[in-house]
Structures are given as C-alpha cells and as structure tokens.
Amino acid sequence: MNRNELIRALPKAELHVHIEGTFEPELMFAIAQRNQIEIPYKSVEEVKQAYNFHNLQSFLDIYYAGAAVLIYEQDFYDLAWAYFEKCAEDNVVHTEMFFDPQTHTDRGVAFATVINGLQRACDDAREKLNISSHLIMCFLRHLTEEAAFETLAQALPYKDQIIGVGLDSSEVGHPPEKFERVFAKAREAGFLIVAHAGEEGPAEYVWQALDLLKVNRIDHGVRSEEDSKLLERLIAEKMPLTVCPLSNLKLCVVDDMVQHNIQRLLQQGVHVTVNSDDPSYFGGYMNDNFFAIAEALDLSHAELKQLAQNSFEASFISDTEKQKWTEQIAALN
Ligand code: ADE
Ligand code: ZN
C-alpha cells in the first residue's frame, strides 16, 4: 500500500472537532434560507472568500456568525449528519465532538434543542454508518465563570448524553485558572475533562489545564514544546495532545506545514493525535490533515499507524473497543 492508501485504510478516531466548525457554506445557505435568516454573503464563493483568517480571533468572529443560522433541532441534526457522512468517507469510525451550548443558548435556542438534534444524528450514525460517538460540551472561555456555571447546570439533566466538558474560544487572556471552580464541579458530577491550551496561549496555560482543571486530554498543546519540563511531564503521564495540523496552518500557529512539530513530538514520545478542529473553515477533514502532514514531514508508515493507534488509546471508548481497533491497525501494511 502506498502512503495515501494507508491513510485511507486506517481506522481513525477523531477527538478534536467542533461540530459548529463542520458547517459547510452550502448547508449554511440552505438552513439560512429555510429559517429566513439574512447572512452577509451572496454566494458560497463569497463565504469562502471571507475565510482569510490570520489568527484565532479573526476565525472565531466568522465561526460564531455562521452558527447563528442554527435554530431548530433539525438544523443541529443536519449539521451533525453531514459531518458523519464525511467521517464515513475518511474511515473515521469513532468521534468525540465538541459543541458550544452558549453559542446557541445566548441567542435564545434551548439547550434541549441543541442536544436532541445532535444526539439523534449520533444515534443514526451508529445505526446506519456504524460510527460511534461521544459529545463533549465546551465552555466559551471569553465569557464569565458564572455563565459557565449556568451552562453546567443546564447540562446536568443530560449527563448521560455528554461524556465530558471542555474549554474553547479566545485563548489568550482567558487562562484555565479562570474556570478552576466550575471544572471542579464538572469533575464531581462525573464528566471527563479536556481543555484547549497551548494553541495560541503559552505553555503556562497547559500547566494550568493539567494542575488546576485536571484534564484527561489537552486540545492542541503544540506550544508545549517551548517548555522542556512540560514535555517531560506530558510524556511521563502519557497525556494526549489532540493536534490539528490544517487548523494550525490556517490560523498561523505555524508558518508552513514543513515546520509543524507533530512529528518531533511523536518521535519524543508525546501522545499526539491528528484531528480536523473546524474542517469546513480550515480546508479539510481527517484524511486531508493526514495527507498534509504525511507529505510535508515525510511520515513513515509506522508513524502513520502510531498516530491512528494513539487516537483510539486517547479516546473515551472501552478497553475492549480499543483492543479491536489496535488489532485492525496492526494488520495493515
Ligand atoms: N472554537 C472552535 N475552534 C476553536 C479553536 N481552534 N480554538 C479555540 N476555540 C475554538
Ligand atoms: Zn478546537
């Protein structure tokens, strides 16, 4: 098998994808029209031209504007279903997707509307596509601690449908410590914990995510490389980093894919995984991310298999499931 054939054939788990970031312009237009909502673009081409981000905030401004057309349960279903169809194409057999309840509840959409639409798509994906999934709810870090506590309270009746709690949105100036207390409460309630850290923010935010939020995984974490003590800790604890190469390129976290540190981190023993983050905005889904790093960094077959293997090990599926995927990966050449 050549390298791209191997990438396609590998079963993969996606651990870092924002469902609102899978919103393709065509679907955005269709939903805006049926909900009779004005969007500031005349065509799909105009939408794509607006995607000329140069940092996280310039992306987030457009991402939140796009999400504003989502109103009804069916909208959330359609959004997630379209993503599951991409998973099927890319042999992503398991996904743990983020959703941002506050992006919707702040516009008057009920928490139940969001979760019911997403859950129905997850159930259909399991039944019709044989793809398993978990939902992870993220707090928007540019909002207050109080708002995060309110969101946590809204989530409690849906505890069985939400496996974990995360932290996303504008990183710099909103350190993990701002949310220490609400994450303690989420942990007590039995949620697993993840947090974006070390994307644009410094290595110090990764320390805080570990020590104060007590995360099970770090989302991004690529700036951890700037702190050798932190790298030692990540390696010793086998702490997963959910790395998103095309996102890092599009948001100028790296200037060129050949400079991406995912291979260096992998070779040092950091538990890195490959993910798409916001694929409709950043130019590709799971396999596109693999193709991009494989080519730029000349990844070996063994490294690609290790990355796929890491994705299951770092996931929140059972040990039996992990074992099943490990065997399938090992059998590929
Ligand atoms: N929300 C959606 N994508 C994000 C990212 N890459 N970083 C922080 N917040 C986000
Ligand atoms: Zn993200």
Side-chain angles (χ1 to χ4, degrees):
M1 236 187 271
N2 71 30
R3 192 159 61 192
N4 285 357
E5 285 166 350
L6 175 66
I7 290 170
R8 287 192 195 92
L10 282 166
K12 292 160 291 270
E14 174 137 80
L15 309 178
H16 185 157
V17 58
H18 302 260
I19 198 60
E20 296 89 348
T22 69
F23 208 2
E24 291 289 342
E26 290 80 3
L27 184 60
M28 197 183 290
F29 264 93
I31 293 182
Q33 199 161 28
R34 79 185 184 207
N35 291 347
Q36 301 190 330
I37 292 176
E38 291 272 341
I39 52 173
Y41 312 106
K42 286 196 211 63
S43 64
V44 167
E45 286 65 42
E46 255 192 47
V47 180
K48 289 188 175 160
Q49 273 162 22
Y51 293 181
N52 58 348
F53 327 111
H54 43 277
N55 60 26
L56 179 57
Q57 194 59 51
S58 59
F59 154 68
L60 289 170
D61 293 341
I62 288 182
Y63 161 90
Y64 293 128
V69 308
L70 300 163
I71 298 184
Y72 302 107
E73 186 187 311
Q74 188 64 36
D75 303 340
F76 291 94
Y77 175 90
D78 291 346
L79 174 67
W81 182 254
Y83 166 64
F84 279 120
E85 288 185 321
K86 300 284 190 185
C87 290
E89 280 173 31
D90 280 3
N91 208 14
V92 170
V93 296
H94 175 73
T95 178
E96 301 185 353
M97 60 171 107
F98 300 135
F99 68 109
D100 291 337
Q102 289 157 300
T103 299
H104 313 297
T105 53
D106 283 3
R107 298 180 289 112
V109 176
F111 193 98
T113 301
V114 181
I115 189 104
N116 290 342
L118 297 178
Q119 182 65 55
R120 192 155 55 82
C122 292
D123 293 345
D124 280 357
R126 165 57 100 189
E127 200 183 309
K128 296 177 184 156
L129 302 174
N130 208 17
I131 296 173
S132 59
S133 55
H134 289 309
L135 294 172
I136 298 175
M137 161 182 108
C138 289
F139 299 129
L140 298 181
R141 67 201 308 156
H142 67 275
L143 301 179
T144 61
E145 179 197 38
E146 188 190 0
F149 269 115
E150 276 167 30
T151 302
L152 181 59
Q154 289 177 319
L156 290 178
Y158 303 95
K159 171 76 193 50
D160 293 347
Q161 290 162 263
I162 303 172
I163 197 156
V165 170
L167 184 65
D168 66 3
S169 192
S170 324
E171 187 181 5
V172 174
H174 302 284
E177 66 183 346
K178 176 176 167 187
F179 297 96
E180 182 177 358
R181 293 185 297 187
V182 70
F183 273 88
K185 192 159 178 196
R187 280 199 318 278
E188 270 166 37
F191 291 102
L192 295 169
I193 302 296
V194 299
H196 283 54
E199 178 187 16
E200 272 190 353
E204 166 58 20
Y205 286 18
V206 179
W207 284 109
Q208 287 187 16
L210 296 170
D211 290 333
L212 306 182
L213 307 189
K214 306 191 192 310
V215 292
N216 300 93
R217 298 195 292 251
I218 295 282
D219 295 315
H220 292 292
V222 285
R223 288 196 56 195
S224 304
E225 203 182 28
E226 295 166 18
D227 179 336
S228 59
K229 281 265 169 303
L230 176 58
L231 272 194
E232 273 171 32
R233 165 124 180 234
L234 295 174
I235 294 164
E237 292 185 4
K238 216 169 164 232
M239 176 60 60
L241 303 187
T242 63
V243 177
C244 307
L246 288 173
S247 164
N248 294 154
L249 186 65
K250 191 84 180 173
L251 301 186
C252 306
V253 172
V254 290
D255 297 331
D256 193 311
M257 202 58 103
V258 297
Q259 287 163 12
H260 202 288
N261 63 7
I262 189 165
Q263 187 181 34
R264 275 201 306 278
L265 292 169
L266 183 70
Q267 289 175 351
Q268 287 176 86
V270 182
H271 198 98
V272 285
T273 66
V274 178
N275 306 270
S276 70
D277 204 5
D278 301 282
S280 93
Y281 293 90
F282 299 150
Y285 287 77
M286 176 64 90
N287 285 357
D288 299 312
N289 276 273
F290 264 96
F291 295 144
I293 53 170
E295 163 105 19
L297 304 171
D298 194 22
L299 297 184
S300 68
H301 280 39
E303 286 171 329
L304 293 167
K305 287 170 75 170
Q306 186 66 54
L307 288 167
Q309 172 67 27
N310 285 357
S311 74
F312 292 103
E313 270 173 35
S315 76
F316 298 145
I317 59 177
S318 69
D319 288 345
T320 318
E321 284 285 297
K322 289 182 187 182
Q323 185 60 30
K324 177 181 87 180
W325 296 119
T326 302
E327 285 164 18
Q328 289 205 16
I329 292 168
L332 290 169
N333 285 303

